[in-house]
């Protein structure tokens, strides 16, 4: 589609223009889209201004000196509480009244769904329209009480005398009083009358009516600062803050309307995450529960350190708990629980955990205990013998600083040298060039793997101990019972283990600043201890990186809106000009967004930038991996994820993926598969990730972006031009930066056109003969495997010849009774008849369509009674027991008396074997009842591949028989009765699949036989009545077809031994069937080495073969711009949850080769995105 596709269609534009004014005003609906009586608008205006009127009563009484300020506030609050209760009770009364008369109402189906019919000013419909009411009685009371408190405190907050004391300006007082009350009225209306839909929406559903509390909460925050200023004496900073907030109070409606202030659920989650990461040294968590628990434990640790009386105790406490809290505690708890259950049950407990989990055993426990012990010993010894020395260029702490600087430089070099691009700009000359196979890649990367091992040791063991040495020697720890020391050092002692790379960078920056600035009177040295300096440097580092990333994202949108022709809208030039003119404002927006750690929201992904509301780093409220749009392609991601996770843990530990922090996004590409990886949490020697799989059925937008991804990766990994040293990255500025290649065990997908094979007359001519051979091999193997469960014939009474045949016959006779009636007619099949069908046809042609489903073939056939008044006559040439199934010679004769079918008995003929052991290979009796003409049986005897049959028998070993004659195989080969059974068995299957003629099958018939969709025939009807035999025949035919393809490609089999090896390979290493089969998905999950499927393109009229091959192949991995992803997801959330713009052809979902807009939307969590696979949290060990 063109770039000027509407951002919102006409219906959504009208909807948005109605919703947005309602959001700005807090809930009043003044734009309805249809004509409404004037009193609807008047009533809403009165209700909107009611808090102002009630607050004005208290304000007037205070200004006149009749009441004190707090009594006036209490009066206004009480009046508002009573008013709110009355309004809610009115709504409840209107609802009950409507319920009583609802049955008498006649709905007009021609009116719009949101149109109401109003009868009077205070009618029930009017009340319900203006005051929708609360879902829960508890909220009715609570929100009414909160409305009263809000009105009372708002009155106190906006008293004119109080405002005059702050500003000493009458004009300012009037402005703040008027517009301040507008803010309060907006908050009150959304709380008690009608809650507006917020532009800042985090949850798709507001189950507990939390949205109504959002605006009052922010009003309470402003009032709380004013109250603190009232009761705190001589606090200049509070006075200045209160003055600023009184002015900002007027802009609260604007902040609400723009969606800058987060909803309460997102606010608390974001606040806990920020405090945990930057205040307590922890990591963002993958779930809300883990976040809350970890926040409480971490906060408790910081508080407890305040009360420890000795400096040595403080250091040991902080070092120990910093290490323990940086571990993967949830997995340790799981492993402990698993071990305890195993011991209590005195048996091996079943492993029922979800996903890929770290197996924590005694080795890991001893490793952690050893590291903790050495860390405590080091910290205590250094602090005891060398602590509290002033910092100088030769002090012990300065020496530790030099070591840390060297470590940082070495680790930075070792990390960058493993990536394909240095800084994302120049190609790394040490990275393997033009690598296409795993063996060559692993050989060339062996040196880089050694580099990764060295870096892993430095990162995991050397750097943390060096940083502990630096911190243990710091003089700031002398200040016991200091809040700043407790917060700063508790944070950094944990961050040393939790986020080693960033902690190392922060300490190096602080130590360099300390070396350069020795002036003790400087603010940096006088007012701040080392812990607080590290905290400030950590926040500054994070916000600066976010600012740079957001700026890159904004510039990419600006440039591509013009350079990419398909993104060049008519408004592009105007928008670019405005952004250039107001570039300082754009930088301010980016800076505020970075400061709040909130996404930069490009409206409709155009260069119109807004500040998104702060939210957790994972962007979505639901549990990780809880939802995905599961389809047939999901199974391919399920198969590769465990192997990909193993490869990822090596890459993350080595550093070849760069600095991977919570919130980092990676994109993996292999053939048509795209894997989206999100890092959710990280700690000492572990990392938690979520892997999503995107759809394989590419749309045009998906294909365009996937093609650009392939170009980016090919330029980095495959093109020969990189032999030039430090060649530039031609796709610099793209949100995807290639990192490395990962060897992963997965399926490669090859599709071939079978023209010249399936339509070759020579190949089709040999198809029937090969089918007979494959079928004989399969029948012999089936009977041989089944014989292993039987007793040896010699152990039975030897006088009872054919005892096994009799037992077999008796079981078959019982089973055949329900089966023999299966081919009669039923009411269920009437819908398959057509106008062209003869009423006396044996079966409708559409009946076979239902048999194509694999799940139906194994079910018990239905009993179909015959047509009433008809008679079934049986042929005398066929044994009596087969005549009910013999529809070839059955005629339907009208007018004859009905025959009782229950009196007919199906009896299998007795087979006399010349070898008693032939019973072991005897075909089941019910498989011998096909209605075969004797002439065809004789013809099959002539065509029967006797040498092949003898060769197959000669390959049997009968090891399961304890006693067997030495000439057993010779006796079996000479048994003509046994051979005759296989003749009839082979002919029965040929009869079902090909019919009785000897014509060469057409390619269309071969395809339909392969898929199980053969047109109905008498032989097929008999064959499908034996589901197990039908499955064997279908399997044999598919093997035969695969054999035909292999013979055409590789040449014919030279001898029987080679042919058997083909068939054994098919049986053991292949799944040959259809992609739609359930068994296909099971074979993928079981990791069958090869899978083959036959397909047909009706548009081109060609037949295709698809081969999946399981092997270790190279997956390309690149790092995405985190802020580009968060920004596009923020727009997606706004566009779908607020603007409800779910148009599948909307502009913001169209292909964007640089921003990967379509792929980013796909990777969002459902219901906004639609990944076909989403893993639960995967715990990757990094040691």
């Amino acid at each position: 589609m063109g770039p000027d596709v509407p951002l919102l269609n006409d219906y959504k534009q009208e909807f948005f223009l109605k919703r947005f004014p309602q959001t700005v005003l807090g809930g009043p609906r003044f734009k309805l889209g249809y004509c409404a009586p004037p009193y609807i608008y008047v009533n809403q205006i009165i209700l909107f201004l009611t808090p102002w009127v009630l607050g004005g009563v208290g304000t007037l009484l205070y200004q006149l000196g009749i009441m004190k300020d707090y009594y006036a506030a209490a009066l206004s609050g009480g009046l508002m509480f009573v008013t709110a209760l009355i309004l809610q009770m009115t709504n409840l009364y209107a609802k009950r009244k409507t319920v009583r008369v609802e049955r008498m109402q006649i709905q007009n189906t021609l009116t719009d769904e949101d149109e109401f019919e109003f009868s009077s000013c205070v009618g029930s419909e009017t009340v319900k329209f203006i005051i929708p009411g609360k879902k829960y009685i508890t909220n009715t009371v609570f929100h009414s009480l909160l409305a009263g408190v809000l009105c009372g405190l708002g009155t106190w907050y906006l008293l004119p005398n109080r405002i005059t004391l702050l500003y000493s300006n009458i004009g300012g007082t009037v402005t703040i009083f008027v517009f301040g009350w507008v803010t309060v009225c907006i908050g009150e209306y959304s709380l008690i009358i009608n809650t507006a839909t917020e532009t800042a929406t985090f949850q798709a559903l507001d189950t507990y009516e939390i949205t109504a509390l959002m605006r009052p909460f922010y009003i309470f925050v402003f009032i709380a600062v004013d109250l603190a200023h009232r009761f705190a004496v001589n606090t200049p900073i509070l006075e200045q803050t209160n003055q600023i907030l009184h002015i900002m109070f007027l802009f609260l409606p604007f902040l609400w309307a723009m969606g800058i202030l987060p909803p309460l659920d997102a606010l608390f989650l974001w606040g806990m995450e920020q405090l945990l990461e930057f205040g307590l040294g922890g990591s963002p968590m993958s779930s809300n529960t883990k976040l809350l628990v970890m926040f409480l434990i971490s906060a408790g640790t910081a508080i407890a350190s305040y009360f420890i009386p000795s400096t040595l105790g403080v250091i040991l406490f902080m070092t120990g708990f910093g290490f323990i809290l940086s571990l993967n505690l949830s997995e340790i708890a799981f492993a402990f629980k698993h071990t305890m259950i195993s011991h209590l049950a005195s048996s091996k407990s079943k492993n029922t955990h979800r996903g890929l989990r770290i197996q924590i055993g005694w080795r890991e426990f001893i490793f952690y205990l050893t590291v903790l012990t050495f860390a405590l010993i080091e910290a205590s010894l250094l602090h005891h013998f060398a602590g509290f020395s002033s910092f100088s260029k030769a002090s012990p702490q300065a020496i530790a600083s030099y070591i840390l600087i060297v470590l940082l430089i070495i680790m930075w070099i070792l990390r960058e040298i493993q990536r394909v691009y240095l800084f994302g700009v120049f190609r790394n000359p040490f990275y393997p060039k033009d690598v296409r196979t795993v063996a060559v890649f692993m050989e060339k990367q062996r040196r880089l793997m050694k580099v990764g091992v060295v870096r892993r040791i430095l990162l995991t063991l050397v750097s943390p101990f060096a940083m502990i040495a630096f911190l243990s020697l710091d003089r700031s720890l002398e200040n016991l019972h200091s809040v700043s020391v407790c917060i700063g050092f508790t944070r950094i002692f944990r961050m040393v283990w939790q986020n080693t790379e960033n902690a190392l960078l922060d300490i190096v920056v602080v130590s360099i600043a300390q070396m350069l600035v020795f002036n003790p009177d400087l603010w940096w040295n006088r007012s701040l201890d080392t812990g607080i300096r590290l905290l400030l440097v950590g926040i500054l580092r994070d916000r600066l990186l976010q600012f740079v990333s957001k700026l890159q994202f904004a510039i990419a949108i600006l440039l591509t809106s013009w350079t990419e022709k398909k993104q060049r809208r008519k408004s592009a030039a105007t928008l670019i000009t405005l952004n250039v003119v107001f570039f300082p404002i754009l930088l301010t927006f980016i800076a505020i967004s970075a400061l709040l750690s909130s996404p930069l929201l490009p409206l409709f992904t155009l260069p119109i930038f807004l500040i998104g509301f702060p939210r957790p780093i994972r962007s979505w409220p639901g549990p990780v991996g809880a939802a995905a749009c599961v389809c047939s392609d999901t199974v391919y991601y399920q198969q590769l994820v465990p192997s990909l996770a193993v490869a990822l843990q090596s890459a993350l530990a080595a550093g070849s993926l760069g600095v991977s922090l919570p919130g980092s996004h990676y994109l993996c590409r292999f053939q048509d598969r795209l894997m989206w990886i999100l890092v959710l949490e990280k700690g000492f020697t572990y990392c938690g990730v979520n892997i999503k799989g995107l759809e394989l059925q590419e749309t045009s937008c998906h294909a365009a972006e996937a093609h650009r991804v392939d170009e980016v990766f090919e330029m980095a990994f495959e093109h020969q031009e990189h032999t030039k040293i430090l060649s530039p990255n031609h796709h610099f500025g793209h949100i995807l930066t290639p990192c490395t290649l990962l060897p992963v065990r997965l399926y490669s997908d090859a599709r071939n056109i079978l023209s010249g094979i399936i339509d070759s007359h020579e190949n089709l001519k040999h198809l029937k003969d090969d089918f007979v051979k494959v079928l004989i091999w399969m029948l012999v193997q089936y009977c041989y495997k089944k014989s292993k469960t039987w007793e040896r014939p010699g152990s039975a009474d030897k006088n009872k010849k054919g005892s096994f045949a009799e037992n077999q016959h008796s079981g078959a006779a019982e089973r055949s009774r329900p089966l023999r009636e299966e081919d009669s007619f039923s009411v269920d099949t009437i819908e398959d008849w057509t106008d062209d069908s003869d009423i006396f046809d044996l079966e409708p042609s559409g009946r076979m369509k239902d048999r194509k489903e694999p799940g139906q073939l194994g079910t018990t056939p239905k009993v179909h009674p015959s047509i009433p008044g008809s008679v079934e006559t049986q042929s005398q040439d066929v044994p009596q027991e087969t005549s009910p199934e013999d529809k070839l010679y059955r005629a339907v004769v009208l007018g004859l008396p009905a025959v009782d079918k229950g009196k007919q008995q199906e009896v299998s003929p007795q087979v006399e074997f010349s070898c008693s052991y032939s019973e072991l290979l005897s075909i089941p009796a019910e498989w011998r009842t096909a209605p075969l003409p004797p002439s065809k049986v004789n013809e099959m005897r002539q065509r029967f591949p006797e040498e092949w049959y003898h060769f197959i028998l000669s390959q049997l070993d009968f090891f399961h028989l304890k006693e067997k004659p030495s000439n057993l195989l010779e006796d079996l080969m000479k048994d003509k009765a046994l051979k005759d059974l296989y003749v009839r068995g082979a002919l029965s299957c040929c009869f079902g699949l090909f019919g009785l003629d000897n014509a060469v099958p057409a390619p269309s018939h071969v395809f339909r036989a392969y898929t199980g969709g053969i047109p109905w025939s008498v032989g097929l009807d008999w064959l499908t009545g034996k589901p197990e035999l039908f499955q064997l025949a279908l399997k044999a035919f598919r093997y035969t077809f695969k054999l035909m393809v292999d013979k055409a490609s590789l040449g014919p089999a030279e001898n029987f031994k080679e042919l058997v090896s083909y068939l054994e390979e098919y049986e053991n290493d292949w799944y040959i069937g259809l992609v739609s089969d359930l068994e296909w998905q099971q074979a993928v999950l079981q990791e069958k080495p090869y899978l083959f499927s036959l397909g047909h393109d009706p548009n081109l009229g060609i037949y295709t073969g698809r081969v999946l091959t399981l092997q270790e192949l190279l997956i390309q991995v690149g790092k995405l711009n985190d802020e580009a992803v968060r920004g596009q997801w923020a727009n997606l959330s706004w566009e779908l949850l607020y603007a409800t713009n779910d148009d599948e052809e909307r502009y913001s979902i169209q292909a964007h080769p640089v921003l990967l807009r379509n792929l980013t939307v796909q990777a969002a969590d459902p219901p906004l995105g639609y990944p076909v696979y989403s893993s639960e949290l995967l715990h990757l060990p990094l040691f």
Side-chain angles (χ1 to χ4, degrees), residues 553-569:
F553 175 47
I555 292 175
I557 291 181
L558 278 170
L559 293 180
T560 55
S561 65
W562 184 260
T563 57
E564 294 284 339
K565 291 184 179 180
K566 292 186 177 180
Q567 309 301 323
R568 193 183 300 169
R569 298 174 62 88

Side-chain angles (χ1 to χ4, degrees), residues 409-480:
I409 295 173
I410 292 174
M411 288 180 57
W412 176 80
I413 294 174
L414 295 181
R415 185 187 70 221
E416 288 297 321
I417 207 173
Q418 295 181 78
R419 303 176 66 189
V420 67
Y421 284 120
L422 300 174
F423 312 107
V425 180
F426 301 105
R427 196 178 195 284
N428 180 7
F430 300 99
Y431 197 85
K433 298 179 178 64
D434 195 28
V435 177
R436 299 176 187 269
T437 63
V438 177
V440 176
F441 174 76
M442 298 304 290
E443 180 67 27
K444 291 186 176 181
Q445 207 192 23
R446 187 169 298 172
R447 289 178 299 174
L448 293 183
M449 292 174 66
K450 295 177 182 178
V451 169
V453 172
V454 173
R455 183 182 178 278
R456 186 184 309 183
I457 294 173
L458 292 177
L459 179 67
T460 306
L461 297 176
V462 179
S463 297
F465 284 100
M467 287 186 281
I468 287 176
F470 175 87
L471 297 172
S472 301
L473 298 170
D474 196 83
R475 293 190 62 186
S476 303
L477 291 169
E478 291 179 343
N479 302 323
L480 290 175

Side-chain angles (χ1 to χ4, degrees), residues 276-577:
L276 179 61
E277 184 175 2
F278 298 104
L280 301 169
S283 164
M285 293 284 115
S286 59
S287 69
N288 298 339
T289 304
K290 289 177 68 175
L291 178 62
L292 177 61
V293 171
M294 185 57 71
F295 174 77
L296 294 177
I297 295 174
S298 303
T301 302
I303 294 171
S305 65
Y306 180 84
F307 298 98
I308 298 176
S310 68
T311 55
L312 181 60
V314 168
I315 289 177
L316 293 177
F317 181 82
M318 290 179 175
T319 303
F321 270 90
F323 175 80
I324 292 171
L325 293 178
S326 69
L327 300 177
N328 194 355
L329 296 180
S330 62
E331 287 304 295
I332 293 175
F334 173 83
F336 177 77
K337 178 183 176 182
H338 181 70
T339 305
M340 292 301 296
I341 292 175
S342 299
H343 285 301
L344 291 175
S346 299
S347 61
K348 188 176 180 181
S349 175
K350 291 184 178 179
N351 194 0
T352 57
H353 62 269
R354 305 186 305 268
L356 183 71
R357 304 189 76 127
I358 300 175
Q359 299 301 312
I360 298 179
W362 288 109
R363 183 175 65 89
E364 290 78 11
F365 178 76
I366 293 173
F367 171 73
Y368 290 147
L369 187 61
T370 303
V371 172
L372 176 59
T373 304
F374 277 105
L376 293 175
I377 292 172
E378 179 199 20
S380 58
L381 291 178
L382 286 175
H383 179 74
H384 181 73
F385 292 106
F388 299 153
S389 59
S390 59
F391 188 88
S392 63
K393 293 185 178 180
S395 64
Q397 193 176 19
I399 295 174
S401 301
Y402 300 144
I403 296 173
L404 291 174
I405 293 172
V406 173
L407 276 175
L408 177 65
I409 295 173
I410 292 174
M411 288 180 57
W412 176 80
I413 294 174
L414 295 181
R415 185 187 70 221
E416 288 297 321
I417 207 173
Q418 295 181 78
R419 303 176 66 189
V420 67
Y421 284 120
L422 300 174
F423 312 107
V425 180
F426 301 105
R427 196 178 195 284
N428 180 7
F430 300 99
Y431 197 85
K433 298 179 178 64
D434 195 28
V435 177
R436 299 176 187 269
T437 63
V438 177
V440 176
F441 174 76
M442 298 304 290
E443 180 67 27
K444 291 186 176 181
Q445 207 192 23
R446 187 169 298 172
R447 289 178 299 174
L448 293 183
M449 292 174 66
K450 295 177 182 178
V451 169
V453 172
V454 173
R455 183 182 178 278
R456 186 184 309 183
I457 294 173
L458 292 177
L459 179 67
T460 306
L461 297 176
V462 179
S463 297
F465 284 100
M467 287 186 281
I468 287 176
F470 175 87
L471 297 172
S472 301
L473 298 170
D474 196 83
R475 293 190 62 186
S476 303
L477 291 169
E478 291 179 343
N479 302 323
L480 290 175
H481 311 300
S482 168
V483 175
S484 62
V485 170
C486 290
I487 293 175
F489 278 91
T490 300
R491 170 188 175 274
I492 193 61
F493 268 108
R494 179 176 177 182
M495 192 175 173
V496 161
W497 306 100
Q498 189 92 47
N499 193 346
T500 307
E501 291 184 80
N502 284 342
L504 181 60
L505 176 61
D506 295 348
I507 292 178
V508 167
V509 170
V510 169
S511 61
I512 290 175
Q514 206 163 354
M515 292 176 187
L516 297 177
V517 182
F518 284 103
N519 185 2
D521 297 328
L522 195 68
W523 167 81
W524 176 263
N525 289 329
R526 185 184 71 254
S527 303
L528 301 177
D529 58 63
T530 304
I532 297 301
R533 292 176 202 159
L534 288 169
L535 189 150
L536 293 176
V537 168
I539 294 176
L540 182 62
R541 166 188 48 77
D542 179 78
R543 290 339 191 221
L544 185 60
L545 291 176
Q546 284 197 39
F547 178 83
V548 173
S549 185
K550 287 176 167 63
L551 184 60
Q552 289 177 345
F553 175 47
I555 292 175
I557 291 181
L558 278 170
L559 293 180
T560 55
S561 65
W562 184 260
T563 57
E564 294 284 339
K565 291 184 179 180
K566 292 186 177 180
Q567 309 301 323
R568 193 183 300 169
R569 298 174 62 88
K570 294 178 180 178
S571 58
T574 304
L575 291 176
I576 292 173
T577 303

Side-chain angles (χ1 to χ4, degrees), residues 418-421 431 656-658 666 713 717 737-741 1117-1119:
Q418 295 181 78
R419 303 176 66 189
V420 67
Y421 284 120
Y431 197 85
S656 55
L657 297 183
Y666 296 91
F713 281 130
F717 298 115
T737 303
C739 291
T740 188
L741 297 170
V1117 185
K1119 194 174 191 301

Side-chain angles (χ1 to χ4, degrees), residues 188-202:
E188 290 279 11
Y189 199 98
S190 66
L191 176 64
I192 203 65
I193 308 298
N194 183 26
T195 304
T197 303
E198 299 290 350
T199 50
T201 304
F202 189 56

Side-chain angles (χ1 to χ4, degrees), residues 794-1023:
S795 64
D797 186 0
K798 294 185 180 181
N799 296 327
K800 293 185 179 180
K801 293 186 177 180
S803 59
F804 282 94
E806 291 173 7
N807 293 335
Q808 201 173 352
H809 156 67
S810 62
E814 292 180 4
R815 291 190 298 270
S816 65
R817 288 187 186 115
L819 292 174
R820 68 180 181 180
E821 298 178 0
E822 180 250 351
D823 297 306
S824 302
F825 293 90
S826 169
V827 178
D828 297 336
T829 65
I830 291 177
E831 61 182 5
D832 294 327
W833 292 89
T834 63
D835 293 338
D836 299 330
S837 302
D838 190 349
I839 191 173
F840 300 116
D841 281 350
L842 296 178
E843 189 169 349
S845 60
R847 187 173 174 182
M848 277 310 299
K849 294 178 182 178
D850 298 332
R851 292 197 175 117
K852 292 169 68 175
E853 297 294 332
Q856 296 178 358
L857 295 174
T859 58
T860 304
K862 296 180 180 179
V863 177
H864 302 287
S866 300
I867 298 177
S870 67
V871 176
E872 297 177 2
T873 61
Q874 60 187 42
S875 173
Q876 300 297 323
D877 298 333
V878 183
Q880 184 177 357
E881 65 274 12
T882 63
S883 56
E885 307 291 341
D886 185 6
K887 297 182 182 177
L888 182 62
Y889 301 104
R890 184 172 63 189
V892 179
V893 183
L894 294 180
L896 295 181
V899 178
D900 185 4
K901 291 183 65 177
K903 296 180 181 180
Q904 300 179 10
Q905 298 293 330
E906 183 179 281
V907 181
S908 179
Q910 186 69 31
V911 179
E912 296 291 339
F913 294 114
S914 61
C915 175
S916 60
Y917 285 89
S918 297
E919 297 168 0
L920 296 174
L921 300 180
S922 175
I923 294 177
E926 60 201 38
W927 294 3
R928 313 172 194 167
T929 59
L932 301 173
S935 59
K936 289 297 180 182
V937 176
N938 294 329
E939 183 180 340
M940 175 55 77
R941 287 195 184 102
Q942 300 297 324
R943 294 172 47 211
F944 187 75
E946 191 165 347
E947 293 182 2
W948 169 251
Y949 170 71
H950 290 165
F951 179 79
I952 294 173
L953 293 180
S954 68
Q955 300 298 307
L956 304 179
D957 48 39
F958 290 100
F959 285 150
H960 58 282
L961 298 181
K962 296 180 181 179
E963 299 178 5
K964 59 180 179 180
S966 58
N967 58 346
L968 172 59
L969 296 179
E970 295 179 5
D971 293 343
L972 290 175
M973 294 178 192
K974 293 177 182 178
D975 195 332
K976 294 184 178 180
L978 181 62
K979 172 189 170 184
D980 193 61
L981 286 182
Y982 281 96
V983 170
R984 296 185 65 88
L987 180 58
S988 300
C989 295
C990 289
F991 177 39
L993 295 181
F994 298 106
L996 292 176
D997 56 345
N998 296 324
V1000 176
S1004 60
H1005 184 87
V1006 172
F1007 175 75
R1008 299 178 74 174
Y1010 185 95
T1011 59
I1014 310 171
W1016 183 89
S1017 66
V1018 175
L1020 182 64
D1021 194 65
W1022 175 87
L1023 185 59

Side-chain angles (χ1 to χ4, degrees), residues 1070-1085:
W1070 287 78
Y1071 174 77
I1072 301 174
L1074 297 174
V1075 177
S1076 57
D1077 291 343
L1078 178 62
E1079 291 82 359
W1080 178 281
Q1081 299 185 16
Q1082 293 172 349
V1084 172
L1085 294 177

